[in-house]
């Protein structure tokens, strides 16, 4: 079974979107899900959003650990460091259901802003 976020990502990448546009859409979806989870009292909704958050950052980390020549070393280190910090806070949020999801939302919004700046904005 393919994870819904991965299926959405594959669907998006099969269209005429650039990689940055697809990444932007993934982060928009993550932000929407985290915001919905932060407003919900349903622990299942929160855990599902946190699980997807962890998986997305795990994919980002895996993609940036090896030097494949697609990103400069400084950028790769930044991506891995951001993924590490986001995942650490995500783990804390999984273990403490009272912990705010706002830091995770803010990280995702900052990444989205950076992606849109680089790609010239996406509607």
């Amino acid at each position: 079974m393919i994870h819904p976020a991965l299926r959405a990502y594959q669907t998006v990448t099969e269209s005429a979107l650039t990689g940055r546009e697809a990444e932007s859409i993934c982060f928009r979806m993550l932000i929407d899900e985290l915001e919905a989870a932060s407003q919900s009292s349903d622990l299942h909704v929160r855990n599902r959003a946190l699980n997807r958050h962890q998986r997305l950052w795990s994919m980002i980390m895996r993609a940036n650990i090896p030097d494949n020549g697609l990103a400069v070393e400084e950028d790769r280190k930044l991506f891995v460091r951001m993924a590490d910090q986001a995942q650490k806070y995500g783990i804390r949020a999984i273990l403490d259901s009272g912990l705010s999801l706002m830091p995770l939302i803010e990280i995702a919004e900052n990444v989205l802003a950076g992606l849109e700046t680089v790609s010239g904005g996406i509607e």
Side-chain angles (χ1 to χ4, degrees), residues 22-49:
E23 291 166 352
S24 294
I25 290 170
C26 286
F27 274 97
R28 274 196 205 103
M29 290 170 56
L30 177 63
I31 291 165
D32 290 345
E33 189 161 8
L34 288 170
E35 286 176 342
S38 72
Q39 296 172 4
S40 175
S41 60
D42 187 345
L43 192 57
H44 179 69
V45 170
R46 177 184 173 92
N47 288 338
R48 185 178 56 232

Side-chain angles (χ1 to χ4, degrees), residues 1-120:
M1 183 173 124
I2 295 177
H3 189 273
L6 182 57
R7 185 179 314 116
Y9 183 79
Q10 288 172 337
T11 300
V12 167
T13 59
E14 290 171 359
S15 68
L17 297 175
T18 67
R20 295 267 184 206
E21 290 170 333
E23 291 166 352
S24 294
I25 290 170
C26 286
F27 274 97
R28 274 196 205 103
M29 290 170 56
L30 177 63
I31 291 165
D32 290 345
E33 189 161 8
L34 288 170
E35 286 176 342
S38 72
Q39 296 172 4
S40 175
S41 60
D42 187 345
L43 192 57
H44 179 69
V45 170
R46 177 184 173 92
N47 288 338
R48 185 178 56 232
L50 287 167
N51 182 40
R52 289 186 180 157
H53 168 270
Q54 295 297 91
R55 286 182 178 204
L56 176 62
W57 281 109
S58 179
M59 286 189 291
I60 291 169
M61 185 178 281
R62 277 194 312 264
N64 285 285
I65 288 174
D67 184 2
N68 57 13
L70 297 176
V72 296
E73 184 173 349
E74 183 179 314
D75 289 346
R76 286 183 27 250
K77 286 180 180 179
L78 175 63
F79 295 141
V80 170
R81 191 170 37 255
M82 282 188 341
D84 179 57
Q85 291 172 351
Q87 287 185 305
K88 283 180 181 175
Y89 190 90
I91 291 168
R92 288 179 47 213
I94 289 168
L95 297 174
D96 180 358
S97 63
L99 198 60
S100 172
L101 299 181
M102 273 314 295
L104 300 179
I105 294 167
E106 289 171 1
I107 291 169
E109 288 173 339
N110 288 335
V111 171
L112 178 60
L115 289 168
E116 289 178 340
T117 299
V118 170
S119 65

